[in-house]
Amino acid sequence: MVYALVRANCIGVHRRVVVLHVRVAVRYDRVLIRPTIMLNLDAYLARLGYTGPREPTLAVLAELQRRHVCTIPFENLDVLLGQPIRLDLASIEQKLIHRRRGGYCFEQNTLFQAALTSLGYTVETLVARVRWQVPADVETAQTHMILLVELGGRRYLVDGGFGSGSLTAPLLIDTAEEQL
């Protein structure tokens, strides 16, 4: 399990993530979800305005994560409109890329996982317990989807959809050091 409180800033040109190891925001457990169809990667990268390299490196991962959370909004308007939320990749691609809408964590991270997998990253889907402003003795439900990317023998948490608390850079989980 990993515990971290994350603050993110997506305003301006420079973005950063500050991780404080004192308070708990996310606890995750592993779950396996694999997309069964291919993503239109060119359309996804165009939605992000990304024209850089397409190899699985930490620099590319960091840039894609920053662009994803700063371009595709976290939103749950379908719930308010009484519309069903479809979690198949084709529906998510249509909504978030072609209709230029946002989505919530399962939509966002399903899309992000498909893009990263298409680029050659090793990605594992995790389900998390959100611990935002909840007493330490209260166990919350596993309601958040987050991704684990293994790259060069190191493991990183990446999250395309946590609203204003979204990670804007990969979070190395095998360290106790503050990460900027």
Side-chain angles (χ1 to χ4, degrees):
M1 291 178 216
V2 169
Y3 298 92
L5 173 66
V6 179
R7 287 187 330 218
N9 178 5
C10 279
I11 300 171
V13 176
H14 300 287
R15 280 86 175 184
R16 69 183 206 167
V17 174
V18 178
V19 179
L20 308 174
H21 296 281
V22 178
R23 298 170 61 197
V24 175
V26 176
R27 172 184 159 189
Y28 73 82
D29 294 312
R30 294 169 188 237
V31 66
L32 184 62
I33 300 174
R34 296 277 185 230
T36 57
I37 66 166
M38 293 300 293
L39 170 72
N40 181 340
L41 185 60
D42 290 335
Y44 172 77
L45 296 175
R47 171 82 159 99
L48 300 186
Y50 180 78
T51 59
R54 292 188 179 198
E55 61 258 357
T57 66
L58 183 57
V60 171
L61 177 63
E63 183 63 15
L64 291 175
Q65 183 169 358
R66 183 186 68 79
R67 285 177 182 263
H68 184 104
V69 300
C70 293
T71 303
I72 303 175
F74 179 88
E75 57 110 310
N76 58 359
L77 296 176
D78 288 341
V79 173
L80 299 173
L81 296 171
Q83 297 176 356
I85 298 172
R86 301 194 192 311
L87 294 178
D88 62 284
L89 186 56
S91 296
I92 292 169
E93 179 181 326
Q94 184 63 34
K95 178 181 174 183
L96 276 62
I97 296 174
H98 303 295
R99 291 177 37 219
R100 303 185 67 78
R101 292 265 315 273
Y104 81 113
C105 64
F106 280 82
E107 295 168 298
Q108 296 270 3
N109 283 316
T110 297
L111 179 65
F112 198 29
Q113 177 193 23
L116 294 176
T117 301
S118 295
L119 290 167
Y121 290 93
T122 301
V123 184
E124 186 175 348
T125 305
L126 307 174
V127 64
R129 299 177 191 280
V130 177
R131 306 280 309 153
W132 198 266
Q133 298 180 344
V134 176
D137 61 335
V138 175
E139 185 169 303
T140 59
Q142 294 178 321
T143 59
H144 182 63
M145 180 179 177
I146 194 166
L147 304 174
L148 180 71
V149 175
E150 189 169 326
L151 184 62
R154 302 187 94 174
R155 300 179 310 154
Y156 298 88
L157 285 179
V158 296
D159 192 349
F162 194 65
S164 64
S166 289
L167 297 171
T168 56
L171 178 66
L172 180 62
I173 64 171
D174 298 320
T175 184
E177 296 177 22
E178 181 174 284
Q179 300 175 58
L180 299 179

